[in-house]
Amino acid sequence: MTRFLFIFCTVLGSLFAIEMLKPVQEAVIQPFTGLLAALSTALILPFDDTVIAQGRILRDAASGFAVSIEAGCNGVEAAIVLIAGILAFPASLRHKLVAILAGFFFVQALNIVRIISLFYLGQWNYTVFEWFHLYLWPVLIMLDVLIVFAIYLQWLGKQHAKAEPL
Amino acid sequence: MLLRRQFVLTLALMPITFGMWFAADSLFAGPAVWLCDLLLSFFYSDIVQGARLQGATMLLTTQFGEHNGVILSAQEAGNQIALEINTRLVSYSIAFYAALLAASSLQESITKFCIGLFWLSGIMCFGLASIVGKDLLLMVGPPFLSAPGVPPADLLAVTYQFNVLLMPTLAPICLWLWQIRGSPLWQTLEADIKRASAQR
């Protein structure tokens, strides 16, 4: 437990510090955030052709309403927590890599749902948008991280059971 | 099964706990604002005069003032820059924590909630202080950064990221995990951990 906590906190702190570095922001975080905006637009477009993505901004051409995906809204922090948890837990490198990739996918999938929902909530009612943006979605994303980590533990257990000789 | 029940119940209870938190937000934010006032006016008396709670907003008066767009000391400017900080940005951790705890149906849950509230107030205090740091960095800029004891801008940014964007959601989970030890839910989790950690 102590080992887990030590590695978890060290990885968490290190990844947070790395994420904040200017070159990392410019080369990784900002393009990734732009990609999230483009992906969200691509998912919305078949149903709503008034939406436009401009870099990190998602805009509704009809109403003029726009949301900008900023640091803290791109799901990177939640992914960092999950990665720290996965790296801190004893498992083989292959299992860790699979879990990180799958976990990152699940966190970002929910994050895209979050971005799209906020885009429409903002056009409907700004108070509701603020509530979901500032208080509810961060909790749901972190709950998603916890669920993914719990599923990872169960999956690891099953892998072990499979690997055990009869 | 117990874990699934925990997650479903947490989601189901969230509208109730968030509603209660919103109705009594100033009550929940009070201890954190008091601690923040104590901390900042003691360690940064050259920057902060004091902080108080007004509804769900923390009103912080600084030792800086402004005259013709120039940041001066409050004495020189003849006015004081004050910050209005939304305490809900950090206090929603209480609503999340309450949902997690209530979904676990633990023994002595009220006592556990009070202990959790105590720790969360401390964490919220650092969150509020981080918002103050970020706001002063953006609003006051160089005069704030050159004041004695103020950490560099990069450190302020990391602190804000950690204390405001991460801790309100991570801290309740850590507290909850600590408090469910010994419960049937913990035993389920422990069994999962044992099975999983045998695989290396």
Side-chain angles (χ1 to χ4, degrees), chain A residues 106-161:
Chain A
F106 282 115
V107 170
Q108 289 306 333
L110 189 67
N111 196 39
I112 287 176
V113 174
R114 169 180 173 269
I115 292 166
I116 295 172
S117 74
L118 288 175
F119 180 65
Y120 285 103
L121 282 173
Q123 292 177 67
W124 172 58
N125 185 312
Y126 194 73
T127 311
V128 177
F129 165 83
E130 277 219 320
W131 251 80
F132 272 82
H133 175 223
L134 298 174
Y135 317 126
L136 286 176
W137 267 118
V139 166
L140 293 174
I141 297 275
M142 195 52 83
L143 209 54
D144 183 40
V145 168
L146 187 64
I147 291 169
V148 169
F149 191 69
I151 292 171
Y152 168 61
L153 290 183
Q154 291 182 344
W155 176 75
L156 267 183
K158 279 179 190 162
Q159 295 297 310
H160 175 59

Side-chain angles (χ1 to χ4, degrees), chain A residues 4 6 10 16 18 21 31 39 42-43 45 55 60-62 64 71 76-77 81 101 113 117 122 135 141 150 165:
Chain A
F4 174 85
F6 176 75
T10 310
F16 250 90
I18 292 169
L21 294 173
L39 257 173
L43 286 169
L45 268 176
D60 182 69
V76 171
E77 289 77 15
V81 174
L101 287 175
V113 174
S117 74
Y135 317 126
I141 297 275

Side-chain angles (χ1 to χ4, degrees), chain A residues 51-65:
Chain A
V51 65
I52 313 160
Q54 293 167 317
R56 291 177 296 165
I57 297 170
L58 214 64
R59 187 184 302 278
D60 182 69
S63 66
F65 180 83

Side-chain angles (χ1 to χ4, degrees), chain B:
Chain B
M1 192 63 190
L2 273 178
L3 265 177
R4 197 176 304 167
R5 179 186 172 274
Q6 168 69 35
F7 293 132
V8 173
L9 256 180
T10 303
L11 284 173
L13 287 168
M14 269 172 52
I16 302 167
T17 57
F18 269 81
M20 287 166 77
W21 157 76
F22 189 71
D25 52 7
S26 56
L27 194 71
F28 290 125
V33 171
W34 176 75
L35 270 173
C36 193
D37 174 40
L38 214 66
L39 192 84
L40 293 179
S41 49
F42 182 76
F43 288 107
Y44 295 101
S45 54
D46 293 342
I47 300 165
V48 173
Q49 191 188 56
R52 65 188 166 88
L53 193 65
Q54 199 173 63
T57 305
M58 180 172 91
L59 270 178
L60 182 121
T61 40
T62 70
Q63 304 284 22
F64 295 107
E66 183 264 344
H67 184 70
N68 291 336
V70 181
I71 303 291
L72 303 164
S73 70
Q75 238 176 356
E76 287 171 316
N79 56 52
Q80 273 179 300
I81 292 175
L83 302 176
E84 283 187 355
I85 292 159
N86 177 8
T87 59
R88 290 186 192 127
L89 289 175
V90 288
S91 71
Y92 73 91
S93 59
I94 293 170
F96 180 33
Y97 168 68
L100 281 170
L101 200 66
S104 307
S105 318
L106 299 174
Q107 285 179 338
E108 297 173 358
S109 53
I110 299 289
T111 314
K112 283 180 173 150
F113 178 70
C114 292
I115 294 169
L117 214 53
F118 172 79
W119 286 106
L120 282 179
S121 294
I123 292 162
M124 278 160 54
C125 158
F126 285 107
L128 291 172
S130 301
I131 300 175
V132 170
K134 187 261 292 175
D135 284 1
L136 284 175
L137 180 68
L138 296 177
M139 196 182 278
V140 177
F144 165 61
L145 282 173
S146 57
V150 174
D154 286 345
L155 188 59
L156 285 173
V158 175
T159 315
Y160 175 81
Q161 191 96 335
F162 194 79
N163 287 335
V164 182
L165 300 181
L166 185 67
M167 285 313 271
T169 50
L170 185 61
I173 291 178
C174 296
L175 275 170
W176 167 74
L177 280 172
W178 175 52
Q179 291 186 324
I180 61 164
R181 283 172 311 156
S183 70
L185 179 64
W186 178 257
Q187 283 158 8
T188 309
L189 204 62
E190 209 172 21
D192 280 346
I193 291 170
K194 271 184 189 157
R195 271 194 297 271
S197 57
Q199 173 73 23
R200 300 189 79 159

